[in-house]
């Protein structure tokens, strides 16, 4: 027989199966379990440090709800050791410049905001492009891939999509990226690259509500994004994830496993068709874009939602089988029911990512300043006239 013992890291529970027959546990097994618990708590604490290229990492992001306090020398040493074991590079704390942005952290994860004067430091043997060290490490050879973490809170949906498309198609550093936005600037409807407004939207209601409609560069369905959304995008170069067939379905299935540690407290979390679900209720929509040099997987998580905005969407003619004709409100659920805050959720996601990748925080203003090669973006905002004409067509 087997029991289930939950090891809790902050608000993150990781479930392990352990034999119930305690008499058979050797002293070595007990010591190992205690060591894991100690390392897990140290890892949780270490994520309060900034994830950057030391010695000049960008300022960490401090949450207004939980301002970061300076660690004691003893805890700092333990945190650094746990972070190193998990592949998280902890840089020194960077004080806010006078009159500039205050350092803020989200869920203990160091990720930079606009402003601040810290510049990335180039390590020996690394090449710098636009102040960012070009160091995308492919997996498979024992070294873990470096993923640069960018917080884009407050960014508009159109601007974020254009930035992600640049990072996928024209990144001069050749890096891997994780971009997240927990504070969408304004309500926006986003359609897949081949979406048809007359099939997907109640156009007159959309025009009356003055909600902009954006066509993204990836596939997938139509979503309403607003302050209740949490947006995440993982951008990887070819071959970074060993043995992964780089096609939409295998990528989605791989991300399900990637997120499982973060969703330990979410019963019934799974990938179903193209969605993340809790049981038979949708909690996140996914879309991909794949190029010759890499791939992108982005997700809009439903932290909360506005029923009135959901009613701007038509019932799609093509829907996943598990939806069974249900309305939008009957078909979705809220992620906030399983986490105490967005910070709590994002902390869980960062810990899950740190199990697979070497995370490095990178300032948003640095990313925006990269010397991207020019190309024609596929992201487009549909004007009122276009929506009307496309509807009549």
């Amino acid at each position: 027989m087997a029991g289930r013992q939950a090891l809790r890291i902050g608000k993150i529970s990781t479930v392990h199966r352990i034999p119930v027959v305690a008499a058979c546990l050797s002293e070595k097994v007990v010591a190992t379990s205690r060591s894991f618990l100690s390392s897990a708590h140290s890892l949780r604490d270490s994520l309060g440090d900034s994830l950057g290229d030391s010695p000049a990492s960008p300022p960490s992001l401090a949450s207004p709800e939980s301002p970061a306090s300076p660690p004691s020398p003893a805890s700092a040493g333990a945190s650094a050791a746990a972070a190193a074991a998990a592949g998280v590079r902890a840089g020194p704390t960077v004080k806010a410049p006078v009159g500039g942005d205050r350092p803020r952290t989200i869920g203990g994860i160091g990720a930079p905001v606009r402003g601040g004067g810290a510049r990335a430091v180039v390590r020996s043997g690394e090449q710098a492009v636009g102040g960012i060290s070009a160091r995308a490490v492919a997996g498979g050879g024992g070294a873990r891939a470096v993923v640069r973490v960018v917080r884009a809170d407050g960014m508009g949906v159109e601007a974020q999509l254009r930035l992600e498309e640049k990072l996928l198609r024209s990144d001069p550093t050749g890096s891997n990226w994780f971009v997240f936005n927990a504070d969408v600037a304004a309500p926006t409807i986003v359609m897949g690259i081949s979406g048809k407004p007359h099939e997907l939207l109640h156009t007159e209601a959309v025009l009356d509500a003055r909600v902009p409609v954006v066509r993204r560069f990836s596939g997938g369905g139509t979503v309403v994004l607003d302050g209740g959304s949490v947006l995440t995008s993982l951008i990887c170069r070819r071959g970074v994830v060993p043995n992964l067939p780089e096609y939409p379905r295998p990528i989605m299935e791989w991300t399900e496993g990637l997120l499982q540690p973060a969703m330990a407290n979410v019963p019934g979390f799974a990938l179903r068709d193209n969605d993340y679900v809790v049981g038979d209720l949708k909690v996140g929509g996914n879309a991909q874009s794949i190029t010759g040099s890499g791939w992108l997987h982005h997700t809009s998580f439903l932290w909360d939602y506005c029923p009135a905005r959901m009613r701007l969407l038509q019932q799609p003619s093509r829907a996943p089988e598990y939806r069974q004709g249900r309305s939008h409100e009957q078909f979705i659920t809220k992620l906030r029911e399983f986490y105490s805050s967005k910070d709590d959720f994002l902390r869980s996601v960062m810990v899950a990512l740190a199990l697979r990748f070497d995370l490095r925080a990178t300032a948003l203003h640095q990313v925006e300043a990269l010397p991207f090669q020019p190309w024609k973006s596929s992201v487009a905002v549909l004007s009122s006239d276009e929506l009307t004409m496309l509807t009549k067509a």
Side-chain angles (χ1 to χ4, degrees):
M1 294 178 63
R4 295 169 68 85
Q5 177 174 334
L7 304 182
R8 181 170 290 278
I9 308 175
K11 296 197 179 283
I12 302 163
S13 295
T14 306
V15 178
H16 296 264
R17 297 184 180 278
I18 301 176
V20 170
V21 187
C24 296
L25 290 175
S26 67
E27 292 183 3
K28 183 175 180 181
V29 173
V30 173
T32 302
S33 300
R34 288 173 178 167
S35 175
F36 176 81
L37 277 169
S38 175
S39 298
H41 286 292
S42 297
L43 172 58
R44 175 200 63 193
D45 296 336
S46 75
L47 293 175
D49 300 328
S50 52
L51 307 175
D53 283 318
S54 59
S57 351
S60 64
L61 290 175
S63 156
E65 301 171 359
S66 54
S69 57
S72 66
S75 65
S79 296
V88 178
R89 300 297 181 89
T93 302
V94 179
K95 294 183 179 179
V98 176
D101 296 324
R102 292 181 59 82
R104 300 191 298 121
T105 61
I106 176 150
I109 302 299
V113 290
R114 297 174 187 269
R119 291 180 299 175
V121 169
V122 183
R123 298 175 184 275
S124 175
E126 294 183 2
Q127 177 185 4
V129 180
I132 295 177
S133 55
R135 191 169 178 269
V137 180
R144 303 200 311 166
V146 172
V147 171
R148 299 197 172 278
V149 179
V150 181
R151 182 174 185 176
D153 278 5
M155 202 174 201
V157 172
E158 178 196 0
Q160 183 172 342
L161 286 169
R162 290 187 187 278
L163 178 63
E164 292 174 359
E165 189 178 18
K166 285 180 183 178
L167 291 173
L168 175 64
R169 301 184 186 279
S170 184
D171 173 17
T173 72
S175 298
N176 308 301
W177 302 90
F178 181 73
V179 181
F180 66 94
N181 183 349
D183 184 19
V184 174
T188 306
I189 293 173
V190 182
M191 300 193 307
I193 193 168
S194 59
K196 299 177 180 179
H198 68 281
E199 294 180 355
L200 301 168
L201 309 177
H202 293 294
T203 310
E204 290 186 7
V206 170
L207 293 171
D208 289 342
R210 297 185 178 181
V211 177
V213 179
V214 177
R215 195 188 300 278
R216 62 177 176 262
F217 63 93
S218 58
T222 301
V223 293
V224 180
L225 305 179
D226 55 22
S229 308
V230 176
L231 311 182
T232 67
S233 295
L234 179 63
I235 302 167
C236 289
R237 301 302 152 197
R238 291 278 188 173
V240 161
V241 180
N243 305 316
L244 175 66
E246 291 166 324
Y247 301 99
R249 191 66 198 175
I251 290 171
M252 280 191 286
E253 291 173 350
W254 176 81
T255 64
E256 177 190 17
L258 179 70
L259 288 174
Q260 284 292 350
M263 300 293 185
N265 282 341
V266 183
F269 172 79
L271 175 71
R272 199 160 178 183
D273 289 306
N274 297 328
D275 302 327
Y276 294 140
V277 299
V278 177
D280 64 350
L281 298 175
K282 179 178 178 178
V283 77
N286 300 303
Q288 296 77 34
S289 181
I290 301 172
T291 70
S293 61
W295 51 266
L296 169 144
H297 172 87
H298 47 197
T299 302
S300 57
F301 286 100
L302 286 156
W303 177 258
D304 202 344
Y305 61 86
C306 170
R309 292 195 185 112
M310 288 293 173
R311 289 193 285 270
L312 297 175
L313 307 181
Q314 288 192 41
Q315 192 90 340
S317 56
R318 295 174 57 189
E321 184 178 346
Y322 80 92
R323 180 166 183 165
Q324 297 180 336
R326 290 176 290 173
S327 69
H328 289 289
E329 294 173 57
Q330 295 172 327
F331 170 59
I332 58 181
T333 190
K334 302 175 181 180
L335 201 58
R336 68 180 304 166
E337 296 178 4
F338 306 99
Y339 297 89
S340 62
S341 65
K342 290 181 181 178
D343 288 7
D344 183 23
F345 168 61
L346 288 167
R347 181 190 299 115
S348 303
V349 172
M350 291 299 179
V351 170
L353 286 172
L355 296 174
R356 301 286 187 101
F357 299 110
D358 181 357
L359 303 182
R360 308 286 181 85
T362 304
L364 178 59
H365 69 90
Q366 286 183 295
V367 180
E368 293 174 322
L370 285 171
F372 293 104
Q373 295 299 315
W375 90 104
K376 185 176 181 181
S377 174
S378 302
V379 178
V381 179
L382 300 183
S383 68
S384 299
D385 289 342
E386 287 176 309
L387 282 173
T388 302
M389 286 188 296
L390 288 170
T391 301
K392 288 179 179 178

